[in-house]
């Protein structure tokens, strides 16, 4: 029936219906007209011309009509602020209505349009009374309205003590009121530069008790607030983690992920390893259960699992089978699962994993197949005992002659050669048979590297390389760099066959291309070969560092910070929120005697503090500041902290000592003077202009002292490479 309302109506027709003087029993006609107004407003039609007519309905004491009037008021208050004053009497009257639903509705409406100054001032007294209202529905609405008012006028909220009123609501007997107060305090804390939420153990445990009667979203808010509790002792963290662990069995994925986040946070303050291991085992089943949800929830869970298993390897250690891909999984879920499979593979399950990856390599999705083949190669690097088996699987895949499979196999085999030198060179012949299948830059670059690295073992290496050299100028920079290096290696290992090729490639690299990396490398090779061939051989053919899997693991401090955002966009993007959300604050593990020593170390590193400053400054001193930000150089403002049921401290000293600031400034001035002196400027920091003649003399002296300065480069006389 309501679907008929969603038809385009002219404002004049609706105005006539609203102004109709005909008998309207129960205001049915006005109600129907308001529904049409709201429907047209929803469809994007401009109904602002009906403002006076809609406001006339504000005095009708019917809840459904008031809801529509207030919705209209919220929507058009910004475009017609001068008309809002005519609604103020009705709003203030409704704030004192007998019906708690109307009282709450009026307070909420005023909070939404509090950006208009006269509304904000008129809201203060009704909001103050609503926070102490006898009805919990009004109190919980008023709690959220404080945060809304704070977004419009921060000083007004602080001046009228609304933050303290929210603090008092944490002791409310109604769990919904407590949850809303917590949500409001957290939002204010995140928005404010000088108000920070801190919970003590008593309040934290009281909030956990209130979760039993809260809705699922109320539980989520309360769990989020526990991230503002800093355990002073290991037992505090253990007791709290044990109490909230029952929420891991909740049906709502948001509650589960938030519980996991809080437990992972509390683990940083635990010293009992048995307790940590026990909690890690408890985290595995709920994470597995999340993989039975919809694909979107699965993807969020998988991205978070990838972080969790790096920080806590005991979680899901024996559950690799759970992440095997299903045929109907979306590609984004399959790719996320593959990354986790690689993280969980070990010597015990590698055979099973390789068989599964071998099956994936025969799928039709190209990106998925490439990722599967890449995982096989990474398994060979990660588990030395399984490298033979991995190579066998890769050779089988190369034998399929499928171009994208062959290309990805060659890319990972190149890394295997670097990891295990002089072990698998026997398969080079098989790889060289598939040169025609290479059409991507990374595959070409990998094959060229193999030819150059083993030029002395491949009989026709010069012929194979010649095929790539012919198209040098058309290739991508990545391939050009590989061709350049491989050609020089071929010349060093087999000078006679590459005598004519090297000058041609060097000339192209230094004269015909615009890429600065390629040009610089060409100049370096040219000078090395022309001035000191022996050094060229020792440098270019030097032993390369072995490839390992340590680069696959994120930094400990970065992981700790990302896990503070478990279940959010930050954990999906694997980026800290301040990098993609304007105004977001970074989060760090808070200072405490119970904080794990490794976590303390990562905390210092996150602040980029030198070791001597770490020893001079206590962790408690460093942790002061906006959301625990690194101490500013300038003298900081006094910080106001919302301490829940604890005496308020006047605010500890924040930032560096003045002596350190002065010392830092002197160093900067000294560096500046030194730079001016080099360029011929005034050492005393005056306005004297730079003397270019002095600078030229210094440059000439540098060139004169440089033994490579007089080496002829491309464009000079032809250079002979007979020195090798």
């Amino acid at each position: 029936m309501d679907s008929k309302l969603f038809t385009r109506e002219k404002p004049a027709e609706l105005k006539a219906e609203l102004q109709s003087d005909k008998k309207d029993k129960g205001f049915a006609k006005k109600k129907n007209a308001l529904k049409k107004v709201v429907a047209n407003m929803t469809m994007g039609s401009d109904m602002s011309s009906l403002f006076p007519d809609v406001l006339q309905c504000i005095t009708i004491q019917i809840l459904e009509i008031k809801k529509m009037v207030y919705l209209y008021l919220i929507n058009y208050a910004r475009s017609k602020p001068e008309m809002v004053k005519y609604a103020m009497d009705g709003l203030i009257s409704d704030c004192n209505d007998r019906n708690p639903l109307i009282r709450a509705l009026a307070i909420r409406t005023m909070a939404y349009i509090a950006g208009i100054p006269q509304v904000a001032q008129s809201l203060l007294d009704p909001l103050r009374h609503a926070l102490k209202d006898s009805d919990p529905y009004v109190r919980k609405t008023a709690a959220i309205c404080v945060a809304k008012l704070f977004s419009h006028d921060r000083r007004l909220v602080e001046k009228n003590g609304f933050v303290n009123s929210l603090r008092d609501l944490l002791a409310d007997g109604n769990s919904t009121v407590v949850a809303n107060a917590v949500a409001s305090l957290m939002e204010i804390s995140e928005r404010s530069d000088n108000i920070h939420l801190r919970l003590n153990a008593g309040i934290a445990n009281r909030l956990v008790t209130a979760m039993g009667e809260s809705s699922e979203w109320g539980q989520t808010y309360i769990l989020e607030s526990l991230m503002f509790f800093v355990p002073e002792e290991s037992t505090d963290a253990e007791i709290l983690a044990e109490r909230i662990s029952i929420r891991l069995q909740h049906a709502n994925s948001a509650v589960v992920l938030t519980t996991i986040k809080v437990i992972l946070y509390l683990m940083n303050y635990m010293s009992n390893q048995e307790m940590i291991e026990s909690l890690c085992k408890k985290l595995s089943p709920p994470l597995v259960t999340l993989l039975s949800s919809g694909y979107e929830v699965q993807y969020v869970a998988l991205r978070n699992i990838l972080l969790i298993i790096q920080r806590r390897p005991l979680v899901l250690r024996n559950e690799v089978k759970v992440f095997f891909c299903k045929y109907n999984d979306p590609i984004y879920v399959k790719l996320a699962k593959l990354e986790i499979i690689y993280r969980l593979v070990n010597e015990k399950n590698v055979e099973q994993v390789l068989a599964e990856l071998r099956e994936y390599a025969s799928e039709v999705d190209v990106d998925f197949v490439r990722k599967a083949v890449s995982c096989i190669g990474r398994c060979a690097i990660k588990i030395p005992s399984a490298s033979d088996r991995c190579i066998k699987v890769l050779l089988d895949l190369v034998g399929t002659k499928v171009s994208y499979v062959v290309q990805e196999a060659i890319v990972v085999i190149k890394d295997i050669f670097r990891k295990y030198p002089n072990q698998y060179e026997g398969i080079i012949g098989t790889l060289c048979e598939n040169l025609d299948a290479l059409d991507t830059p990374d595959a070409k670059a990998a094959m060229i590297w193999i030819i150059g690295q083993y030029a002395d073992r491949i009989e026709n290496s010069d012929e194979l390389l010649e095929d790539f050299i012919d198209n040098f100028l058309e290739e991508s920079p990545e391939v050009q760099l590989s061709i350049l290096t491989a050609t020089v290696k071929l010349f060093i290992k087999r000078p006679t066959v590459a005598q004519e090729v090297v000058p041609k490639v060097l000339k192209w690299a230094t004269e015909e291309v615009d890429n600065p990396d390629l040009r610089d490398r060409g100049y370096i090779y040219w000078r090395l070969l022309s001035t000191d061939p022996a050094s060229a051989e020792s440098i270019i053919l030097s032993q390369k560092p072995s490839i390992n899997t340590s680069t696959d693991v994120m930094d400990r401090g970065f992981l700790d910070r990302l896990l503070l955002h478990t279940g959010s966009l930050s954990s999906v993007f694997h980026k800290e929120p301040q990098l993609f959300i304007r105004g977001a604050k970074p989060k760090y593990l808070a200072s405490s005697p119970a904080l794990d020593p490794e976590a303390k170390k990562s905390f210092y590193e996150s602040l980029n503090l030198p070791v001597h400053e770490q020893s001079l400054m206590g962790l408690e001193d460093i942790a002061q500041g906006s959301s625990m930000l690194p101490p500013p150089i300038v003298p900081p403002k006094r910080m106001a902290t919302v301490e829940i049921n604890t005496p308020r401290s006047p605010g500890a000293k924040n930032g560096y000592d003045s002596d350190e600031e002065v010392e830092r400034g002197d160093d900067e001035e000294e560096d500046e003077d030194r730079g001016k002196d080099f360029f011929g400027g005034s050492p005393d920091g005056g306005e004297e202009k730079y003397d270019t003649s002095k600078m030229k003399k210094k440059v000439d002296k540098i060139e004169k002292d440089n033994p490579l300065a007089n080496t002829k480069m491309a464009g000079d006389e032809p250079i002979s490479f007979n020195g090798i």
Side-chain angles (χ1 to χ4, degrees), residues 439-480:
D439 55 17
T440 60
D442 55 345
K444 287 182 180 180
M447 192 67 229
I448 293 168
W449 181 90
I450 292 173
I451 294 172
Q453 187 69 18
Y454 301 100
D456 52 341
R457 303 188 189 183
I458 304 174
E459 293 182 1
N460 62 336
S461 57
D462 55 327
E463 298 176 3
L464 298 176
L465 202 55
E466 190 74 33
D467 295 337
F468 294 103
I469 293 175
D470 291 341
N471 300 318
F472 179 85
L473 296 178
E474 288 76 32
E475 298 289 358
S476 65
E478 178 185 359
V479 177
Q480 289 176 335

Side-chain angles (χ1 to χ4, degrees), residues 161-385:
F162 287 129
V163 175
N164 294 333
S165 299
L166 288 177
R167 181 190 62 184
D168 296 338
L169 286 182
L170 293 182
D172 197 279
N174 186 283
S175 58
T176 306
V177 176
V178 173
N180 282 26
V182 162
S184 188
L185 280 170
M186 286 192 298
E187 184 171 345
I188 290 173
S189 179
E190 290 176 1
R191 287 176 177 268
S192 176
D193 293 329
N194 60 347
I195 297 177
H196 303 287
L197 180 62
R198 295 289 183 270
L199 304 180
N200 62 17
I203 286 294
N205 283 286
R206 191 182 304 173
L207 291 175
V208 173
T209 303
M211 277 199 297
E213 302 174 0
S214 300
S215 65
E216 53 192 19
W217 297 114
Q219 292 181 41
T220 304
Y221 288 135
I222 292 175
L223 285 167
E224 284 281 358
S225 71
L226 297 180
M227 299 292 290
F228 294 90
F229 166 61
V230 182
E232 294 296 320
E233 298 179 0
S234 176
T235 52
D236 293 339
E238 293 171 10
I239 292 172
L240 191 60
E242 192 65 34
R243 290 192 64 189
I244 66 173
S245 61
I246 192 174
R247 303 293 160 193
L248 294 171
Q249 304 172 18
H250 203 281
N252 186 286
S253 56
V255 175
V256 174
L257 277 174
T258 310
T259 304
I260 291 172
K261 173 168 70 174
V262 178
I263 291 176
L264 290 170
Y265 164 72
L266 293 173
M267 282 184 186
N268 293 293
Y269 298 90
M270 297 180 189
S271 57
N272 188 340
Q273 290 301 318
E274 293 183 1
M275 183 65 178
I276 294 175
E277 292 179 10
S278 173
L279 288 172
C280 286
K281 292 177 181 178
K282 288 183 178 181
L283 293 181
S284 297
L287 288 172
V288 171
T289 303
L290 288 175
L291 299 181
S292 302
S293 307
Y295 293 127
E296 291 78 10
V297 176
Q298 282 188 48
Y299 182 71
V300 173
L302 289 168
R303 295 294 288 173
N304 282 274
I305 288 170
L306 187 56
L307 297 175
I308 293 169
I309 60 178
Q310 291 182 66
R311 180 63 184 86
R312 301 291 175 183
L314 291 177
V315 180
L316 297 167
R317 182 174 55 180
N318 301 317
E319 302 289 346
V320 69
K321 272 188 177 182
V322 174
F323 300 98
F324 286 172
C325 300
K326 300 176 183 178
Y327 75 94
N328 58 347
D329 281 342
I331 182 61
Y332 58 88
V333 171
K334 287 182 177 180
L335 295 178
K337 284 184 175 180
L338 277 177
E339 188 63 31
I340 294 174
I341 289 173
Y342 165 70
R343 301 284 180 181
L344 296 178
V345 68
N346 53 46
E347 293 183 357
K348 295 180 181 178
N349 58 27
V350 67
E351 290 290 335
Q352 191 176 23
V353 169
L354 284 177
E356 189 73 12
L357 293 175
R358 176 68 179 82
E359 292 297 321
Y360 297 161
S362 61
E363 293 282 344
V364 294
D365 191 288
V366 176
D367 291 335
F368 181 53
V369 171
R370 285 181 177 275
K371 187 75 172 178
V373 175
S374 176
C375 280
I376 296 173
R378 294 169 69 191
C379 288
I381 296 172
K382 181 179 180 180
I383 307 172
S385 61

Side-chain angles (χ1 to χ4, degrees), residues 31-46:
K31 186 189 300 183
N32 190 60
L34 285 170
K35 285 182 179 180
K36 291 180 181 179
V37 171
V38 173
N40 277 267
M41 188 174 67
T42 305
M43 292 187 292
S45 300
D46 185 10

